[in-house]
Amino acid sequence: MDHFLDIEQLSVEQLEQCIQRALHFKRQKNYPTYADSNLAMLFYENSTRTRISFEMAAQHLSMPVIRLDPQSSSEQKGEHIQDTLSSLSAMGIQYFVIRHQENRLVHQLAAQSDPVTHLINAGDGSHAHPSQALLDMVTIVEEKPQLPRLKIAIVGNLRHSRVANSLQVMFKKMGVGELALIAPPIWQPETLHFGRYYQSMKEGIEDADVIVCLRIQKERLLENEGVDIESYQRDYMLTEQRISLAKPDLMIMHPGPVNRGIEIQSELVEHPRSFIRQQITNGVYARMAILESLIKEKRSL
Ligand code: CP
C-alpha cells in the first residue's frame, strides 16, 4: 500500500498483519530503526490522542517528525494544501499524517501526489478514521480474539461518525459475529456496510460483548438536528444500569474525547470493564504498525 486512507483498501491479511505487529510492539519494547524515513504532521482539526500517538509512534521508530501549524503556514496566504504537500515533499519529507474536516480530501491529495509521497488519513470529516478502527481492533483482539463469537454494539451519532464508518468496515472484514448500530432515527447510518440498526438501546446492547460509545458532537450537531441533550441522555447514555443488559465480561470502549455525563456516565470511564485507557495505549502501537507497513512496502519496491 502506498497510502493508508481507509479500511476498505486493506486486505484481511494486511489488517491481521498490522494487528499482530501492534501487539508484538506492545510486548517487545525493542523497536526497529527507520531513521532515514521522516514524517510530517498536518492537523487542520484539533486532536490529542491521534496527533500525539502518531508522534510517539514515529519517535519509537526513530523517525524525525516535522509539525506544520496550519494557522501559521502559507495556506493562510492562499496556498492550496496540494502545494503545501508538494513543497514539503520537495524538502525531502516522505510520510504525511493528515487530519482534515473535508471528507475524502486526503484521498484526492493521494491521487495527485508524487510517487515518493505517502499519506496517512488521521480522520477526514465524517468519512473515515482508519487508524482509530485499527487501534480499536487491536484492543478487542487482545482481550477477545474469538471474533466470530462476538456481539459488538456501537452507540451514538452513526450518521456523522467517521469512527463508526471505519469500524463497520473493519468488523465486517475481520468476521465479527454480530454488529448492533444504535442511534436515534435522525442519526441512523446513511449507508450500512455491516450490522443491523436499532433505535432501542435496550434491544441493541442486550448480550453485547463490546459496547463502543461514540462522542456526541454537541458543539456542531445537536441544535441543528433537533436532538436535545436531555432526551439523548435519557434514551442512549451508557449507564451502570444499562450495562447490566450486556455480558458480565463486557468491554466498554470509547474513541475519545469523552463527554462525561452525556454519552457515558462519568463513573463508567474508570469502570473495571472500561478499556478506554487501553485503547489510547494501543493507539501508539497500532500507529507504529501503520508507519512500518508503509515503510516496508516502499522498501520492497
Ligand atoms: N479519537 C480521536 O481521534 O481522538 P483525538 O481527536 O483526540 O485525536
Side-chain angles (χ1 to χ4, degrees):
M1 70 182 162
D2 281 342
H3 309 279
F4 182 86
L5 303 179
D6 52 40
I7 300 297
E8 279 99 337
Q9 73 169 119
L10 297 163
S11 67
V12 173
E13 291 70 31
Q14 284 172 318
L15 289 171
E16 277 170 353
Q17 228 165 40
C18 278
I19 292 163
Q20 291 310 322
R21 191 66 176 150
L23 291 171
H24 171 84
F25 283 140
K26 188 174 185 179
R27 283 190 299 267
Q28 311 260 330
K29 304 280 184 203
N30 183 14
Y31 307 135
T33 297
Y34 298 110
D36 57 348
S37 300
N38 55 28
L39 182 74
M41 307 288 297
L42 279 66
F43 275 67
Y44 295 83
E45 261 190 11
N46 295 344
S47 167
T48 299
R49 281 147 288 269
T50 313
R51 186 171 63 81
I52 303 297
S53 60
F54 263 117
E55 288 202 25
M56 285 191 68
Q59 283 167 12
H60 286 329
L61 298 173
S62 309
M63 297 172 71
V65 177
I66 294 96
R67 281 168 226 103
L68 179 92
D69 171 16
Q71 289 310 313
S72 60
S73 82
S74 288
E75 286 180 47
Q76 297 300 323
K77 296 188 272 185
E79 185 169 60
H80 191 270
I81 183 171
Q82 179 69 46
D83 293 320
T84 305
L85 277 183
S86 172
S87 301
L88 295 174
S89 170
M91 294 177 209
I93 296 174
Q94 301 141 315
Y95 298 92
F96 296 83
V97 177
I98 303 177
R99 171 170 287 190
H100 203 281
Q101 57 277 13
E102 194 177 320
N103 288 1
R104 296 181 185 274
L105 178 69
V106 67
H107 296 66
Q108 289 166 31
L109 294 169
Q112 293 159 2
S113 66
D114 57 51
V116 293
T117 296
H118 306 281
L119 307 188
I120 298 161
N121 182 2
D124 62 321
S126 58
H127 172 244
H129 195 349
S131 66
Q132 179 69 44
L134 183 68
L135 77 88
D136 289 346
M137 202 69 237
V138 168
T139 310
I140 294 169
V141 167
E142 191 175 26
E143 297 299 320
K144 294 178 185 282
Q146 299 294 332
L147 300 179
R149 292 198 200 151
L150 296 187
K151 176 182 175 181
I152 301 181
I154 308 178
V155 190
N157 188 340
L158 301 165
R159 182 162 295 237
H160 300 104
S161 170
R162 57 194 177 201
V163 175
N165 286 340
S166 291
L167 282 178
Q168 279 186 58
V169 182
M170 174 68 89
F171 293 156
K172 183 177 182 185
K173 286 201 171 204
M174 297 303 294
V176 164
E178 191 182 341
L179 177 63
L181 297 160
I182 310 164
I186 195 156
W187 286 348
Q188 61 180 296
E190 224 155 337
T191 317
L192 265 185
H193 306 284
F194 175 53
R196 181 177 156 199
Y197 168 69
Y198 290 85
Q199 183 177 346
S200 157
M201 181 75 163
K202 181 173 177 291
E203 287 171 25
I205 65 171
E206 202 158 34
D207 291 327
D209 299 278
V210 179
I211 300 176
V212 181
C213 205
L214 299 172
R215 182 174 81 91
I216 296 308
Q217 299 169 332
K218 58 183 192 295
E219 73 281 12
R220 285 218 290 248
L221 295 165
L222 288 167
E223 278 179 20
N224 295 347
E225 299 193 329
V227 178
D228 70 281
I229 289 183
E230 287 75 24
S231 62
Y232 187 83
Q233 286 166 311
R234 186 192 61 225
D235 296 336
Y236 295 98
M237 182 168 77
L238 198 62
T239 60
E240 190 91 43
Q241 194 183 11
R242 286 194 167 122
I243 62 167
S244 66
L245 298 166
K247 297 248 175 76
D249 63 345
L250 169 73
M251 293 176 73
I252 299 169
M253 299 178 67
H254 192 305
V258 170
N259 292 308
R260 289 174 184 259
I262 295 190
E263 68 265 3
I264 184 167
Q265 193 180 341
S266 184
E267 293 74 22
L268 291 189
V269 177
E270 285 84 22
H271 189 276
R273 298 310 309 161
S274 168
F275 288 77
I276 297 171
R277 198 176 161 85
Q278 193 165 317
Q279 285 174 269
I280 299 169
T281 302
N282 288 343
V284 177
Y285 304 110
R287 286 163 177 137
M288 287 172 75
I290 293 167
L291 293 174
E292 185 187 59
S293 67
L294 287 168
I295 292 168
K296 282 189 167 170
E297 177 84 19
K298 186 187 175 94
R299 286 185 177 180
S300 71
L301 293 175

